[in-house]
Amino acid sequence: MTRLTHLDADGAAQMVDVSAKAVTMREAIAKGRISMSPEAAAAIRDGLVKKGDVLAVARVAGIMGAKKTSDLIPLCHPLPLSSVSIDLDLDATGVNATATARTTGQTGVEMEALTAVSIALLTVYDMAKAIDKAMEIGAVRLMSKTGGKSGDYRA
Amino acid sequence: MTRLTHLDADGAAQMVDVSAKAVTMREAIAKGRISMSPEAAAAIRDGLVKKGDVLAVARVAGIMGAKKTSDLIPLCHPLPLSSVSIDLDLDATGVNATATARTTGQTGVEMEALTAVSIALLTVYDMAKAIDKAMEIGAVRLMSKTGGKSGDYRA
Amino acid sequence: MTRLTHLDADGAAQMVDVSAKAVTMREAIAKGRISMSPEAAAAIRDGLVKKGDVLAVARVAGIMGAKKTSDLIPLCHPLPLSSVSIDLDLDATGVNATATARTTGQTGVEMEALTAVSIALLTVYDMAKAIDKAMEIGAVRLMSKTGGKSGDYRA
Amino acid sequence: MTRLTHLDADGAAQMVDVSAKAVTMREAIAKGRISMSPEAAAAIRDGLVKKGDVLAVARVAGIMGAKKTSDLIPLCHPLPLSSVSIDLDLDATGVNATATARTTGQTGVEMEALTAVSIALLTVYDMAKAIDKAMEIGAVRLMSKTGGKSGDYRA
Amino acid sequence: MTRLTHLDADGAAQMVDVSAKAVTMREAIAKGRISMSPEAAAAIRDGLVKKGDVLAVARVAGIMGAKKTSDLIPLCHPLPLSSVSIDLDLDATGVNATATARTTGQTGVEMEALTAVSIALLTVYDMAKAIDKAMEIGAVRLMSKTGGKSGDYRA
Amino acid sequence: MTRLTHLDADGAAQMVDVSAKAVTMREAIAKGRISMSPEAAAAIRDGLVKKGDVLAVARVAGIMGAKKTSDLIPLCHPLPLSSVSIDLDLDATGVNATATARTTGQTGVEMEALTAVSIALLTVYDMAKAIDKAMEIGAVRLMSKTGGKSGDYRA
């Protein structure tokens, strides 16, 4: 049976040892969506028309969240991120988020991309929750992963 | 039209002023789910049989994540959390997470509960990603909110 | 001679004991400015015309920085901030920052307001430094302080 | 017209991708000053005579602040700092701060040096504010920058 | 049999709910010691003679560590510390640390006092480890605890 | 006389410059123990029988603490940890902790291993303190250190 790499032979949690892994350029892309009422989406759009702060705040939160990944996910390795970018696309009933993370290091950046998406969408929730408490965050998943020994992945 | 409370009259982001709000006991419950292959779910279950670390790590990550909410969500107020608990329920194709957060303060704990759920599920992703990269986090939403002037909310 | 309150009788640093101080509403306003070349100011203005991210990023950084004040300034007390807002005003040769912080607590929020201004201006420096490395941050000072036993202060 | 590197083609904030940049040794030196009343400067000097904690606390705060730079400045890259040192020079009406930061990495350390200076001076403000609230932090600027493709810079 | 309060009926970790506890003034005092070679102790003493930075750095680290307690200890509640002070006493073969923490809140500050002692002593280790790697930290324990329903405690 | 490397010629604290040191694989192992009443040890053992959260929480706290080392110890360099593992061994009157940390970098990981041990044991204290406040943390020391120019060390 497949064993979880984050558990040792006794089942105790551990940070996987990456010291023997090659230092290569690695990239991961993740996506997610927050669904909301048309009224909430319109309020965000209205904010954009003025000064554009709404999605800008969510984008900054996602980028800063990506940098905190190893502080949030217990067994994640600290990584020298070489870039993070977040694309937020508002439509009539929600916001789609796409995050791209890159590093030159010994382990992948999937968790950084997924964390960026999650924190950006939670930030949208926070800013629109006075209008719509029933918003839902979903479809948070890895789209692709390149670099590293285990080979590339595409969803 | 409804205006976002986190934007001032010019559309600039701000932390809403809660200094005039009453100090009351407040609670929020949030839920979410990570869906995965039966193989990944079985590996987590196998880990549980041994020492139980898998869901324990995710639970701790969610609790610690709740305490970092105001550090992650830019316009969230820092809150003296009086309790956080996270229930993780593993089934054949995933894990359901339910987080309950409480405070006695001037503003609600929805974001703390939602952040706890998100970080706990991201931690499950991290621990099982060597087996299944196609896992998806979804249905992250607020179930209920009590306390505070705006009244109770049930999903 | 006047003694520093952050040193005990032996000169050792300490966090001043505020447990006997009254819980009152307190506010502090701080200002500062970053001076830059007309070219850098124009590039920021050009960015604003598009999507407004430049000053939005600095504003978010300042608000989040205010929440980290007690983590940055060794002898500062942790405070439940009830609001922080930052006004950034771009002119032909720089950006003026004004931060307002409020709490209901046992100690003042001068350091939170000053930290918000400093971090917001450092963020502007970061975003424009590829154009102008000679930018200078100055005039970072407290404008006013209200609430608390020691009385109000106006610069 | 010069474009800000931290904005993408649409004007959205991004962390600049440094993955193609060379890993070289880089150094940055920044300066700043806090001006104060002779009474406040004398109180700091008096503290030094005893146990020297005043400037020591500010120096530690600046060093620790430098290590938090990528957590404070949204679009800054996390960097493995190889050294930070801070020189604080007290005179009759204030304190001059000089910070030197070094790394072997893919991007410069200007922001680390500037952050170290800012946090050290804010810490001095905090410790002396009971005596003088009119202190002012200014002249925070980059003195030099070496290493990296864009060439050396001297103020 | 006595049950751990941090485990729920199923044995899952939880943050104990303190929302029904009274807000009272609470204090805790903790002690600890780092033992070292006379040579290491002499080097620290020599540093003191110059500028006093050695123990000052450890004292600052302990105070800042106390403020991070709820970020370090997973099930600890965030607390508005009203004061922390640390006394470090160097003798011929080591340093004794005593930390006093106070809050006005719903739960005790034992962990803050113990964390302050631990981080201060680890900082001494860090600064003297080039001279003596065999230093040992021990006798880290609670001396007293006052305030709160469970009554006072003296070691 | 031996001089502390963390003080400059004037006695001021500094982060030692490691930019000229070789990038090598480095490992450190540290140990420590918390002593407690048989009743407290039995309660932890009872918790283990159920769901195993007690030591799992302490293990996670130790791993996350290791990643925060440079944020806690003022003059420590930030390090890209390649692995951390913690072994916790419960006996009739306490818990022994052993932490192993590894990096490929320019400076050693002694402080990371010692911090992991300290935070794990403080977490045990926190979870059992309702049963036994007289627990004592001791024998926190470095067992071995390999890699780096200064040669290997064994206690």
Side-chain angles (χ1 to χ4, degrees):
Chain A
M1 179 177 176
T2 317
R3 198 171 64 75
L4 295 178
T5 50
H6 287 76
L7 299 187
D8 67 16
D10 295 325
Q14 60 176 354
M15 220 168 130
V16 176
D17 191 350
V18 299
S19 44
K21 295 174 80 172
V23 172
T24 62
M25 197 185 298
R26 294 153 191 270
E27 183 189 88
I29 300 177
K31 281 189 183 294
R33 174 176 176 82
I34 184 166
S35 304
M36 60 184 65
S37 65
E39 187 193 8
I44 292 177
R45 189 171 305 280
D46 182 56
L48 290 182
V49 172
K50 292 183 190 172
K51 266 205 179 173
D53 260 348
V54 185
L55 298 187
V57 173
R59 205 181 294 122
V60 170
I63 291 172
M64 295 182 87
K67 293 193 279 186
K68 288 196 199 357
T69 301
S70 71
D71 200 35
L72 293 168
I73 311 295
L75 305 177
C76 247
H77 296 82
L79 269 182
L81 280 169
S82 47
S83 82
V84 183
S85 63
I86 299 186
D87 186 64
L88 295 173
D89 180 31
L90 174 70
D91 57 38
T93 59
V95 178
N96 287 312
T98 307
T100 305
R102 276 188 207 129
T103 193
T104 302
Q106 292 178 301
T107 179
V109 284
E110 302 97 300
M111 295 317 301
E112 280 73 12
L114 288 162
T115 300
V117 163
S118 299
I119 301 298
L121 295 176
L122 285 167
T123 299
V124 172
Y125 188 101
D126 181 48
M127 296 185 80
K129 71 179 190 292
I131 299 176
D132 180 6
K133 285 182 179 50
M135 289 175 288
E136 186 172 312
I137 295 173
V140 177
R141 76 260 186 222
L142 185 66
M143 301 308 291
S144 70
K145 171 186 185 299
T146 57
K149 196 186 68 174
S150 69
D152 293 354
Y153 168 83
R154 306 253 164 227
Chain B
M1 180 178 172
T2 317
R3 199 171 63 77
L4 295 180
T5 51
H6 287 78
L7 299 187
D8 66 17
D10 294 325
Q14 60 177 354
M15 221 168 132
V16 175
D17 190 351
V18 299
S19 45
K21 294 175 81 173
V23 173
T24 63
M25 197 185 298
R26 294 152 191 271
E27 183 189 87
I29 300 178
K31 280 188 184 296
R33 176 177 175 82
I34 183 166
S35 304
M36 59 184 65
S37 66
E39 188 193 8
I44 292 177
R45 190 171 305 279
D46 182 55
L48 290 182
V49 172
K50 292 183 189 172
K51 264 204 181 173
D53 259 349
V54 185
L55 297 188
V57 173
R59 206 180 293 122
V60 171
I63 291 171
M64 295 181 87
K67 292 194 279 186
K68 287 196 195 8
T69 302
S70 71
D71 201 35
L72 293 169
I73 311 297
L75 305 178
C76 248
H77 296 82
L79 269 182
L81 280 169
S82 48
S83 83
V84 184
S85 64
I86 300 186
D87 186 64
L88 296 173
D89 180 30
L90 174 70
D91 57 38
T93 57
V95 178
N96 287 314
T98 307
T100 305
R102 275 189 208 128
T103 194
T104 302
Q106 292 178 302
T107 179
V109 285
E110 303 97 299
M111 294 317 302
E112 280 73 11
L114 288 161
T115 300
V117 163
S118 298
I119 301 298
L121 294 176
L122 285 167
T123 299
V124 172
Y125 188 100
D126 181 48
M127 297 185 80
K129 71 179 190 290
I131 298 176
D132 180 6
K133 284 183 180 51
M135 289 176 290
E136 186 171 313
I137 294 173
V140 177
R141 76 261 186 221
L142 185 66
M143 301 309 291
S144 69
K145 171 186 186 299
T146 57
K149 197 188 67 175
S150 69
D152 293 355
Y153 168 83
R154 307 255 163 225
Chain C
M1 180 177 170
T2 316
R3 198 171 63 76
L4 295 178
T5 52
H6 286 77
L7 299 187
D8 67 15
D10 295 326
Q14 60 177 355
M15 220 167 130
V16 176
D17 191 350
V18 300
S19 45
K21 294 174 80 173
V23 173
T24 62
M25 196 184 300
R26 293 152 191 271
E27 184 189 87
I29 300 177
K31 281 189 184 294
R33 175 177 176 83
I34 184 166
S35 305
M36 59 184 65
S37 65
E39 187 192 6
I44 293 177
R45 190 171 305 279
D46 182 56
L48 290 182
V49 173
K50 292 182 189 173
K51 265 202 178 176
D53 259 348
V54 186
L55 297 188
V57 172
R59 206 180 293 121
V60 170
I63 291 172
M64 297 181 86
K67 293 195 279 185
K68 287 197 195 8
T69 302
S70 71
D71 202 34
L72 293 169
I73 310 297
L75 305 177
C76 247
H77 295 83
L79 268 183
L81 279 169
S82 48
S83 82
V84 183
S85 64
I86 300 186
D87 185 65
L88 296 174
D89 180 31
L90 174 69
D91 57 38
T93 58
V95 178
N96 287 312
T98 307
T100 305
R102 276 189 207 128
T103 194
T104 303
Q106 293 178 301
T107 179
V109 286
E110 301 97 298
M111 295 316 302
E112 282 71 12
L114 288 163
T115 300
V117 163
S118 298
I119 301 298
L121 295 177
L122 285 168
T123 300
V124 172
Y125 188 101
D126 181 48
M127 297 186 79
K129 72 180 188 293
I131 298 176
D132 181 6
K133 285 182 180 49
M135 288 176 289
E136 186 171 313
I137 295 173
V140 177
R141 77 265 187 214
L142 184 66
M143 301 308 292
S144 69
K145 172 186 185 300
T146 57
K149 197 188 65 175
S150 69
D152 294 354
Y153 169 83
R154 305 253 165 228
Chain D
M1 178 175 173
T2 316
R3 199 172 63 75
L4 295 179
T5 51
H6 286 77
L7 299 187
D8 67 16
D10 294 326
Q14 60 176 354
M15 219 168 130
V16 176
D17 191 350
V18 300
S19 45
K21 294 173 79 172
V23 173
T24 62
M25 195 184 301
R26 292 153 192 271
E27 183 188 88
I29 300 177
K31 281 188 184 293
R33 174 177 177 81
I34 184 166
S35 306
M36 60 185 65
S37 65
E39 187 193 6
I44 292 177
R45 189 171 304 279
D46 181 56
L48 290 182
V49 172
K50 291 183 190 173
K51 264 201 177 178
D53 259 348
V54 185
L55 298 187
V57 173
R59 206 181 293 122
V60 170
I63 291 172
M64 296 182 87
K67 293 195 278 185
K68 287 197 201 352
T69 302
S70 71
D71 201 35
L72 293 169
I73 310 297
L75 305 177
C76 246
H77 296 82
L79 269 182
L81 279 170
S82 48
S83 82
V84 184
S85 64
I86 300 186
D87 186 64
L88 296 173
D89 180 31
L90 174 69
D91 57 38
T93 58
V95 177
N96 287 313
T98 307
T100 305
R102 277 189 206 128
T103 194
T104 302
Q106 292 179 299
T107 179
V109 285
E110 302 97 299
M111 294 316 301
E112 281 72 11
L114 288 162
T115 301
V117 163
S118 298
I119 302 299
L121 295 177
L122 285 167
T123 300
V124 172
Y125 188 100
D126 181 47
M127 297 185 80
K129 71 180 188 292
I131 298 176
D132 180 7
K133 286 183 179 50
M135 289 175 289
E136 186 172 313
I137 295 174
V140 177
R141 76 255 187 226
L142 185 66
M143 300 309 292
S144 69
K145 172 186 184 298
T146 57
K149 197 188 66 175
S150 69
D152 293 354
Y153 168 82
R154 306 251 164 227
Chain E
M1 179 177 172
T2 317
R3 199 171 64 74
L4 294 178
T5 50
H6 287 76
L7 300 186
D8 67 16
D10 295 326
Q14 61 177 352
M15 220 168 130
V16 175
D17 191 350
V18 299
S19 44
K21 294 174 79 172
V23 172
T24 61
M25 197 185 299
R26 293 152 191 272
E27 183 190 88
I29 300 177
K31 282 188 183 294
R33 175 177 176 82
I34 185 166
S35 304
M36 60 185 65
S37 65
E39 187 192 6
I44 292 177
R45 189 171 305 278
D46 182 56
L48 290 181
V49 172
K50 291 183 190 171
K51 265 202 178 176
D53 260 347
V54 185
L55 297 187
V57 173
R59 205 180 294 122
V60 170
I63 291 172
M64 295 181 87
K67 293 194 279 185
K68 288 196 194 11
T69 302
S70 71
D71 201 35
L72 293 169
I73 310 297
L75 305 177
C76 247
H77 296 82
L79 269 182
L81 279 169
S82 47
S83 81
V84 183
S85 63
I86 300 186
D87 186 64
L88 296 173
D89 180 30
L90 174 70
D91 57 38
T93 59
V95 178
N96 287 313
T98 307
T100 304
R102 278 191 206 126
T103 193
T104 302
Q106 291 179 302
T107 179
V109 285
E110 302 96 300
M111 295 315 302
E112 281 72 12
L114 288 162
T115 301
V117 163
S118 298
I119 301 299
L121 294 176
L122 285 167
T123 299
V124 171
Y125 188 101
D126 181 48
M127 296 185 80
K129 71 179 191 291
I131 299 176
D132 181 5
K133 285 182 180 48
M135 288 176 289
E136 186 172 313
I137 295 173
V140 177
R141 78 266 187 213
L142 186 66
M143 301 308 291
S144 70
K145 171 186 185 300
T146 57
K149 197 188 65 175
S150 68
D152 293 354
Y153 168 82
R154 306 251 165 230
Chain F
M1 180 176 173
T2 317
R3 198 171 62 77
L4 295 179
T5 51
H6 287 77
L7 300 187
D8 67 15
D10 295 326
Q14 60 176 355
M15 220 167 131
V16 176
D17 191 350
V18 299
S19 46
K21 294 174 80 172
V23 173
T24 63
M25 197 184 300
R26 293 153 191 270
E27 184 189 87
I29 300 177
K31 281 189 185 294
R33 175 177 176 81
I34 183 166
S35 304
M36 60 184 66
S37 65
E39 187 192 8
I44 292 177
R45 189 172 306 278
D46 182 56
L48 290 181
V49 172
K50 293 183 189 172
K51 265 202 177 177
D53 261 347
V54 185
L55 297 188
V57 173
R59 205 181 293 121
V60 171
I63 291 172
M64 296 181 87
K67 293 194 278 186
K68 288 197 202 350
T69 302
S70 70
D71 201 34
L72 293 168
I73 311 297
L75 305 178
C76 248
H77 296 82
L79 268 182
L81 279 169
S82 48
S83 83
V84 183
S85 64
I86 300 186
D87 187 63
L88 296 174
D89 180 30
L90 174 68
D91 58 38
T93 58
V95 178
N96 287 313
T98 308
T100 305
R102 276 189 208 127
T103 195
T104 303
Q106 292 178 301
T107 178
V109 285
E110 302 97 299
M111 294 317 301
E112 281 73 11
L114 288 162
T115 301
V117 163
S118 298
I119 301 298
L121 295 176
L122 285 168
T123 300
V124 172
Y125 188 101
D126 181 47
M127 296 185 79
K129 71 179 188 292
I131 299 176
D132 181 6
K133 285 183 180 50
M135 290 176 289
E136 187 171 312
I137 295 174
V140 177
R141 75 253 187 229
L142 185 68
M143 301 308 293
S144 69
K145 171 186 184 300
T146 57
K149 197 188 65 175
S150 69
D152 294 354
Y153 169 82
R154 307 254 164 225

